[in-house]
Amino acid sequence: MSSPPPATGPVHEALAGLSLVDHHCHGVVPADLTPEAFQSLITEGDVWPASGITPFDSPVGVAVRRHCAPLLDLPRHAPAAEYLDRRAELGWREVTRRFLADAGTDTFCVDTGYAPDRLTTPAELAGAAGAQAAAYDVVRLEAVAEAVAAEGVEPDEYASAFLAAMAEAVAERGAVAVKSVAAYRTGFDLDPRRPSGPEVTEAARHWLAAGGTGGRGCGAGETAHTRPRLDDPVLVRHLLWTAVDLGLPLQLHTGFGDNDIRMHRVDPTHLTDWLHLTSGTIPVLLLHCWPYQRQAAYLAAVFEQVYLDVGLTLHYVGPARARAILEEALEITPFRKLLYSSDAYGIAEFYQLGALAFRQGLAGLLQDRVGADELSLPDALRIAAWTGRDNACRVYRLTG
Amino acid sequence: MSSPPPATGPVHEALAGLSLVDHHCHGVVPADLTPEAFQSLITEGDVWPASGITPFDSPVGVAVRRHCAPLLDLPRHAPAAEYLDRRAELGWREVTRRFLADAGTDTFCVDTGYAPDRLTTPAELAGAAGAQAAAYDVVRLEAVAEAVAAEGVEPDEYASAFLAAMAEAVAERGAVAVKSVAAYRTGFDLDPRRPSGPEVTEAARHWLAAGGTGGRGCGAGETAHTRPRLDDPVLVRHLLWTAVDLGLPLQLHTGFGDNDIRMHRVDPTHLTDWLHLTSGTIPVLLLHCWPYQRQAAYLAAVFEQVYLDVGLTLHYVGPARARAILEEALEITPFRKLLYSSDAYGIAEFYQLGALAFRQGLAGLLQDRVGADELSLPDALRIAAWTGRDNACRVYRLTG
Amino acid sequence: MSSPPPATGPVHEALAGLSLVDHHCHGVVPADLTPEAFQSLITEGDVWPASGITPFDSPVGVAVRRHCAPLLDLPRHAPAAEYLDRRAELGWREVTRRFLADAGTDTFCVDTGYAPDRLTTPAELAGAAGAQAAAYDVVRLEAVAEAVAAEGVEPDEYASAFLAAMAEAVAERGAVAVKSVAAYRTGFDLDPRRPSGPEVTEAARHWLAAGGTGGRGCGAGETAHTRPRLDDPVLVRHLLWTAVDLGLPLQLHTGFGDNDIRMHRVDPTHLTDWLHLTSGTIPVLLLHCWPYQRQAAYLAAVFEQVYLDVGLTLHYVGPARARAILEEALEITPFRKLLYSSDAYGIAEFYQLGALAFRQGLAGLLQDRVGADELSLPDALRIAAWTGRDNACRVYRLTG
């Protein structure tokens, strides 16, 4: 069966030609992957070999076989085994090159603080993406706090040592933002107030004494670290307030993730009181958001400092459903508040698949509104450029 | 580019010709508005002049430029600056007249208890809408309670003074309903039981002593009042039970609103125990509801006294997305339980835009179901008349 | 007006020809029904005779008149009164035979633990469905626990008596699964840990002493029982852990139901900690799920043992909206994790209507993705067979 002609129109063309800014992603594993390792990177669950259920039998697996296989010279919908064979045959460097070239992304903001696998650095990622690409560092707050603890610190010096270590990491790496996974550690139903110095010291005393044995669970790969896992509610609050002191935009994991999330605690509207208290300080970028994209949109509509994306979600639902997610995310969101991200991690496919899902989903939505005369074409083109590129340049003060 | 032909069919025609009952709205500002004042009235956020982000760059702004501009003799999608200029040129009286004439609404139930701006009275609103129009008053419980406090009352007389003041306001104004913004004050996770007399007295004592300095935040404009803000959980419960004693339908703000909402606390299913306790008493009308329209629909399906609308939501998402919201709101809702409202406040555009979004969205939904033979045409016409008009007449015992 | 041609294509044909496994349903009332009794069985609310609102004026009523009437030799969209007359004229045996024959379901897993009405047994249901049909028993945990209490048991023997009674019921009836309505009793925000023996004894002491007078409310029909209603949080936890000990798949009511549900407490993601603790033990099947189908899908994507369906929901929203629900339910769900159920109770219509809504909704979704080349036809056919039949056979180890 031949493929239907792709959807066309000036909005599709504009988005197809737009160099995207991927405002939140990770690196790729610079190595060839076993079939099991590849499958573990295309699911937010674990691989369940005893179950007979493979991650390929899911929306993201179908999307990889449909949209990624042709870039490896395979037919659309190639079987999973053929896909894995061909990928191994080409080798990770060539695979990475092909997907990054096709992604059409020229700027990456890279969260370097989560690496249960060894990953490419931002510079390596930009290098693979081509001569014109740039990559910026995003410093993960929890990783730095845990490194401070692992290196040894007195409880009453924890706060200042953490702030200094963050400032140093930001300066050294020229970071454009910081990131928090408070969602994984406590959820968002936190006391919103800035904790006092003695409260922080007391909480640090308990945490440092526990030495990493505490915690109610752990995220994928996080057990691999010997660092004490920061999940004390006072220290998580303190970490968010430290982000305010640093003055850089704060990326916040929200909603969808692995099974270390307690989904009912990561509805971002739990942050409302904290957003009131920090109004006028730093931009806050809500990442992923699904299934709370409407709640995130509400916050973006009523708080000047709030932005959102639906990264991660777009490749997991695939191009077949990306538009529906974008429709909800854009119901009331000011058009300067939505950003593009892939949240690609580990495999190069997701830079391409995320970009494709974003471009096709948004173009379909905007083009149809133009067709129905609900939106003018110049407005549609403006919204495409804003969300795909300009909003990120503005928030992170990129010169791109 | 010429506009595509509008969707047609007998359901579209029936809804286009139906005089709507707008069961929940406010008045308009009877004055010419500065550009900033206008923009502040088309967002649930504040105006953010330093940000370079204007409320026109949002779904509601696009909808105003598309659907309201032609009524001011401008082309569709006219630029915001031209829109504001032309609006000023015509003057507020002419603008109001045009939008109300086009809205096709002949009955308004007007919440008169929220007016950080000076607004038209119900009679003035009906007058602007034409000779055949009628407007009824809806008395806001919190406004009366706060007026009772501001005038001075002993704690042990608060309950009876409040009930008497409500009864007097209802009688004097011929009100058809009362309204509560408990959602803004405490949210819905309240003890559902009727508070005892001593509990109310004790809570009133604290509240009156605090004299309006209390409260964790404040709604748009509410700081303009010197009245003590009623946000004590016992007094909010008491206020809801006072509505039961009054015997009139109760309108309840639910979901979407400004940033004084804590969204996770205003899921209306938190009211389940209270709805059990008050079963067989007064109709309860859940307003706005987004993003909880499915939760509101569930309550309307299983509690005889519960009704809902998606007012406010419809003009904020705009005609491009109104149908999607109505699809969700109607998934399981009995057809006698959905009502139309605009929740227009301040500007006349929203009476017209809300009515247009409702008519087009509902007609598209119903006509397509008729086309797919999922619904008969007589049923579709009945549902249109019920939701646009008859359900409101029935609940509020209007003679229209 | 003639009916539009039905949607066609190979996926529609495959699903039309597939014998479904209905993995969760109840029996039918083996008697002719009064009009009021019939109406009470097509709503999750009560019948509200004083209101003038009939359950026929709702999406499910419209669907019955559209899709069930032709099977009673009536025109599509026949009036409700004609429908009820014709149904009475044919008699319940003939009506049941017709709907079950049309459902195309050859395997039923029947929850026999909820019967405020007298219902057909699984064997009788299978008999009515035809010579080739099979029906299996699902034992409801709460019903057995309450029977143990009603028969008299010492508090310190409750745990062992309950486990023995469950094991006996499972063995005697050849049950393939157990079921819990913890959602109705406490919701899911429970302490996830297995309660200790002394905790269970102490809770049983209070519960047995209360003798059925306790409880904050009651489900439809549940007041008819003189059994003590099990709603103690410790005993509900213990009941879920007893399911783990039994080793059979556990069906869990989730989301939508009658007004005894507190919807905000039955978001299945509240079960996350319990799912971590019981990982590697029993399959957990989340039933109904609406409006939490995305939350259920998340759990199915990240926990090996979690499955879901959207039974009950599909006939209440009707074929006009079933696809939209399935689209959300399948956004990220592995294709081996979605099952079909009707959750039919009391009337035979819902076996047919649920099956029709599932077949049409899923076929429309899959066929369009094949048409857009987002999915290959072989993959679409595989997903249809898995979700309609094979996944259930696998989870319940059915030989079908």
Side-chain angles (χ1 to χ4, degrees):
Chain A
M1 194 183 344
S2 69
S3 188
T8 55
V11 186
H12 285 90
E13 285 159 31
L15 269 161
L18 179 68
S19 288
L20 298 175
V21 174
D22 186 344
H23 91 104
H24 177 77
C25 61
H26 306 260
V28 299
V29 178
D32 291 324
L33 297 167
T34 64
E36 189 176 20
F38 182 84
Q39 291 182 55
S40 77
L41 289 169
I42 63 163
T43 175
E44 288 290 313
D46 296 318
V47 179
W48 308 317
S51 73
I53 302 176
T54 143
F56 275 105
D57 292 326
S58 67
V60 66
V62 161
V64 165
R65 288 172 44 225
R66 163 63 184 88
H67 293 286
C68 302
L71 287 173
L72 306 187
D73 315 312
L74 297 170
R76 302 184 307 276
H77 315 296
E82 286 180 28
Y83 187 88
L84 293 169
D85 284 350
R86 176 65 180 157
R87 199 179 195 280
E89 187 178 58
L90 287 169
W92 74 269
R93 289 179 198 277
E94 174 63 11
V95 166
T96 300
R97 194 194 61 72
R98 291 188 183 194
F99 286 116
L100 283 169
D102 193 74
T105 301
D106 72 0
T107 307
F108 303 85
C109 301
V110 186
D111 171 6
T112 51
Y114 178 63
D117 307 280
R118 185 166 66 88
L119 297 178
T120 51
T121 63
E124 289 167 344
L125 186 70
Q132 79 298 348
Y136 300 95
D137 209 301
V138 175
V139 180
R140 192 185 281 220
L141 290 149
E142 287 81 4
V144 171
E146 290 164 1
V148 165
E151 286 159 18
V153 66
E154 290 304 309
D156 60 353
E157 290 170 358
Y158 165 75
S160 57
F162 174 40
L163 181 61
M166 279 300 302
E168 186 185 328
V170 163
E172 199 170 274
R173 307 186 210 164
V176 295
V178 298
K179 155 99 182 270
S180 169
V181 289
Y184 275 105
R185 304 306 179 83
T186 54
F188 295 144
D189 45 354
L190 289 166
D191 181 346
R193 292 170 300 178
R194 185 193 282 267
S196 70
E199 284 176 295
V200 174
T201 298
E202 182 61 17
R205 187 183 320 281
H206 279 94
W207 178 52
L208 295 166
T213 61
R216 58 174 165 72
C218 51
E222 297 203 333
T223 45
H225 298 271
T226 54
R227 294 173 179 177
R229 178 178 157 97
L230 189 149
D231 57 8
D232 176 276
V234 171
L235 297 184
V236 171
R237 278 162 66 199
H238 172 255
L239 180 147
L240 295 176
W241 280 98
T242 299
V244 173
D245 294 338
L246 289 162
L248 286 178
L250 170 64
Q251 301 184 344
L252 271 181
H253 179 108
T254 307
F256 187 38
D258 67 35
N259 72 18
D260 195 27
I261 283 289
R262 270 63 181 167
M263 190 62 91
H264 59 285
R265 292 209 208 108
V266 298
D267 173 346
T269 65
H270 285 282
L271 292 165
T272 304
D273 286 301
W274 185 77
L275 291 168
H276 274 290
L277 292 176
T278 60
S279 174
T281 64
I282 54 169
V284 175
L285 298 110
L286 306 174
L287 308 175
H288 325 320
C289 296
W290 184 96
Y292 298 117
Q293 56 270 18
R294 283 168 162 162
Q295 281 81 354
Y298 159 71
L299 294 175
V302 300
F303 283 98
E304 181 172 359
Q305 77 266 36
V306 176
Y307 298 78
L308 73 147
D309 75 36
V310 284
L312 184 69
T313 307
L314 291 188
H315 59 256
Y316 271 103
V317 305
R321 188 70 187 158
R323 174 176 169 166
I325 305 300
L326 285 163
E327 294 268 14
E328 292 185 18
L330 280 170
E331 270 168 2
I332 63 166
T333 299
F335 301 125
R336 304 230 56 155
K337 294 298 198 85
L338 183 79
L339 279 71
Y340 167 69
S341 85
S342 68
D343 196 33
Y345 175 93
I347 59 168
E349 278 85 343
F350 287 166
Y351 302 97
Q352 177 249 358
L353 194 56
L356 178 87
F358 178 78
R359 284 193 173 96
Q360 287 190 359
L362 186 63
L365 181 167
L366 295 174
Q367 190 72 57
D368 282 1
R369 291 192 190 176
V370 171
D373 197 29
E374 285 292 331
L375 189 68
S376 74
L377 180 58
D379 285 333
L381 297 175
R382 195 176 298 122
I383 293 168
W386 282 346
T387 55
R389 178 168 193 87
D390 299 349
N391 291 344
C393 291
R394 194 170 163 279
V395 173
Y396 299 107
R397 303 172 188 273
L398 307 178
T399 51
Chain B
M1 196 185 343
S2 69
S3 187
T8 55
V11 185
H12 286 90
E13 285 159 28
L15 270 161
L18 179 69
S19 288
L20 297 175
V21 175
D22 186 344
H23 90 104
H24 178 76
C25 62
H26 305 261
V28 300
V29 179
D32 292 324
L33 297 166
T34 63
E36 189 178 21
F38 182 83
Q39 290 182 54
S40 77
L41 289 168
I42 63 164
T43 175
E44 287 291 313
D46 295 320
V47 179
W48 308 317
S51 73
I53 301 177
T54 142
F56 275 106
D57 291 326
S58 66
V60 67
V62 161
V64 165
R65 289 170 44 224
R66 163 63 184 89
H67 293 285
C68 301
L71 287 174
L72 305 187
D73 314 315
L74 296 170
R76 301 183 308 276
H77 316 294
E82 286 180 27
Y83 188 88
L84 292 169
D85 284 351
R86 176 63 180 158
R87 199 181 194 281
E89 185 178 61
L90 287 169
W92 74 269
R93 290 178 198 278
E94 175 62 11
V95 166
T96 301
R97 193 195 61 70
R98 291 187 182 193
F99 285 116
L100 283 169
D102 193 74
T105 301
D106 72 1
T107 307
F108 302 85
C109 300
V110 186
D111 171 6
T112 51
Y114 179 64
D117 307 280
R118 186 168 66 88
L119 297 178
T120 53
T121 64
E124 289 167 345
L125 185 70
Q132 79 300 347
Y136 300 94
D137 209 299
V138 175
V139 180
R140 192 185 280 221
L141 290 150
E142 288 81 3
V144 171
E146 290 165 359
V148 165
E151 286 159 18
V153 64
E154 291 303 310
D156 61 353
E157 289 171 358
Y158 165 75
S160 57
F162 174 40
L163 181 62
M166 279 301 302
E168 187 185 328
V170 163
E172 200 170 87
R173 308 185 210 164
V176 295
V178 299
K179 156 100 183 267
S180 169
V181 288
Y184 275 104
R185 304 306 178 83
T186 55
F188 295 144
D189 46 354
L190 288 166
D191 180 345
R193 291 169 302 177
R194 185 191 283 267
S196 71
E199 284 177 295
V200 174
T201 298
E202 183 61 16
R205 187 182 322 279
H206 280 94
W207 179 52
L208 294 166
T213 60
R216 57 173 164 72
C218 52
E222 298 204 334
T223 45
H225 297 271
T226 54
R227 294 171 179 180
R229 177 178 157 98
L230 189 149
D231 57 9
D232 176 276
V234 171
L235 296 183
V236 171
R237 277 161 67 199
H238 173 255
L239 179 147
L240 295 177
W241 280 98
T242 300
V244 173
D245 294 338
L246 289 162
L248 286 179
L250 170 64
Q251 300 184 345
L252 271 181
H253 179 108
T254 307
F256 187 38
D258 67 36
N259 72 18
D260 195 26
I261 283 289
R262 269 64 180 167
M263 192 61 91
H264 59 286
R265 292 209 208 110
V266 298
D267 173 345
T269 66
H270 284 284
L271 291 165
T272 305
D273 286 301
W274 186 77
L275 291 169
H276 274 291
L277 291 176
T278 60
S279 173
T281 66
I282 53 169
V284 175
L285 298 111
L286 306 174
L287 307 175
H288 324 321
C289 296
W290 183 96
Y292 298 118
Q293 57 270 19
R294 284 170 161 161
Q295 281 82 351
Y298 159 72
L299 294 174
V302 300
F303 283 99
E304 182 171 358
Q305 77 267 33
V306 175
Y307 299 79
L308 73 147
D309 75 35
V310 284
L312 184 68
T313 307
L314 290 188
H315 60 257
Y316 271 103
V317 304
R321 189 71 186 158
R323 174 177 168 166
I325 306 299
L326 285 163
E327 294 269 12
E328 292 184 18
L330 280 171
E331 269 169 1
I332 63 164
T333 299
F335 301 124
R336 304 230 56 155
K337 294 299 198 81
L338 183 80
L339 279 71
Y340 167 69
S341 86
S342 68
D343 197 34
Y345 176 94
I347 60 167
E349 278 85 344
F350 287 165
Y351 303 98
Q352 178 249 358
L353 194 55
L356 178 86
F358 177 77
R359 284 192 173 98
Q360 287 190 357
L362 186 63
L365 182 168
L366 295 174
Q367 190 72 58
D368 280 2
R369 292 193 188 176
V370 171
D373 198 29
E374 285 292 330
L375 189 68
S376 74
L377 179 59
D379 285 334
L381 297 175
R382 196 176 298 123
I383 293 168
W386 282 348
T387 56
R389 179 168 193 86
D390 299 348
N391 291 343
C393 290
R394 192 171 161 279
V395 172
Y396 299 108
R397 304 172 187 273
L398 307 179
T399 51
Chain C
M1 196 186 338
S2 69
S3 187
T8 55
V11 186
H12 285 90
E13 285 159 30
L15 269 161
L18 179 70
S19 289
L20 298 175
V21 175
D22 186 344
H23 91 105
H24 178 76
C25 61
H26 306 261
V28 300
V29 178
D32 292 323
L33 296 166
T34 64
E36 190 177 20
F38 182 85
Q39 291 181 55
S40 77
L41 289 169
I42 62 164
T43 175
E44 287 290 311
D46 296 319
V47 179
W48 308 317
S51 72
I53 302 177
T54 143
F56 275 106
D57 292 327
S58 66
V60 66
V62 160
V64 165
R65 288 171 45 224
R66 164 62 184 89
H67 293 286
C68 302
L71 286 174
L72 305 187
D73 315 313
L74 296 170
R76 301 183 308 276
H77 315 296
E82 286 179 28
Y83 187 89
L84 293 168
D85 284 351
R86 176 64 181 160
R87 201 181 194 279
E89 187 178 58
L90 287 170
W92 73 270
R93 290 179 197 276
E94 174 63 11
V95 166
T96 300
R97 194 194 62 71
R98 291 187 182 194
F99 286 116
L100 282 170
D102 193 73
T105 301
D106 71 2
T107 307
F108 302 85
C109 300
V110 186
D111 171 6
T112 52
Y114 178 64
D117 307 281
R118 186 167 66 87
L119 297 179
T120 51
T121 63
E124 290 167 345
L125 185 70
Q132 79 300 347
Y136 300 95
D137 208 301
V138 174
V139 180
R140 191 185 282 222
L141 290 150
E142 287 81 4
V144 171
E146 290 165 359
V148 165
E151 286 158 17
V153 65
E154 291 304 310
D156 61 353
E157 291 171 358
Y158 165 75
S160 57
F162 174 40
L163 180 61
M166 279 301 301
E168 185 185 330
V170 163
E172 199 170 88
R173 307 185 210 163
V176 296
V178 299
K179 155 99 182 267
S180 169
V181 289
Y184 275 105
R185 303 306 177 83
T186 54
F188 295 145
D189 45 356
L190 288 166
D191 182 345
R193 292 170 300 176
R194 186 192 282 267
S196 70
E199 283 177 294
V200 175
T201 297
E202 183 61 17
R205 189 184 320 281
H206 280 95
W207 178 50
L208 294 166
T213 59
R216 58 173 164 73
C218 49
E222 298 203 331
T223 46
H225 297 272
T226 54
R227 295 173 179 179
R229 177 179 157 96
L230 189 150
D231 57 8
D232 176 275
V234 171
L235 297 183
V236 171
R237 277 162 67 199
H238 172 255
L239 180 147
L240 295 177
W241 280 99
T242 299
V244 173
D245 294 338
L246 288 163
L248 286 178
L250 171 63
Q251 300 184 344
L252 272 181
H253 179 109
T254 307
F256 187 37
D258 68 35
N259 73 17
D260 195 26
I261 284 288
R262 270 62 180 168
M263 191 63 91
H264 59 286
R265 292 210 208 109
V266 298
D267 173 345
T269 65
H270 284 284
L271 292 165
T272 304
D273 286 302
W274 186 77
L275 291 169
H276 275 290
L277 292 176
T278 60
S279 173
T281 66
I282 54 170
V284 175
L285 297 111
L286 305 174
L287 307 175
H288 324 322
C289 296
W290 183 98
Y292 297 118
Q293 57 270 18
R294 284 169 160 162
Q295 282 81 353
Y298 160 71
L299 294 175
V302 299
F303 283 100
E304 181 173 357
Q305 77 268 36
V306 175
Y307 298 78
L308 73 146
D309 75 35
V310 284
L312 184 69
T313 307
L314 291 188
H315 60 255
Y316 271 103
V317 305
R321 188 71 186 157
R323 174 177 169 165
I325 305 299
L326 285 163
E327 294 269 13
E328 292 185 18
L330 280 170
E331 269 167 3
I332 63 164
T333 299
F335 300 126
R336 304 230 57 155
K337 294 298 198 84
L338 184 78
L339 279 71
Y340 167 68
S341 86
S342 68
D343 197 33
Y345 175 95
I347 60 167
E349 278 85 345
F350 287 166
Y351 302 97
Q352 178 250 355
L353 194 56
L356 179 86
F358 177 77
R359 283 192 174 97
Q360 287 189 359
L362 186 63
L365 181 167
L366 295 174
Q367 190 73 58
D368 281 2
R369 291 193 188 176
V370 172
D373 198 29
E374 285 293 330
L375 189 67
S376 73
L377 180 59
D379 285 334
L381 297 175
R382 195 175 298 123
I383 293 168
W386 282 346
T387 56
R389 178 170 193 85
D390 299 348
N391 291 344
C393 291
R394 193 170 162 280
V395 172
Y396 299 108
R397 304 171 187 272
L398 307 179
T399 51

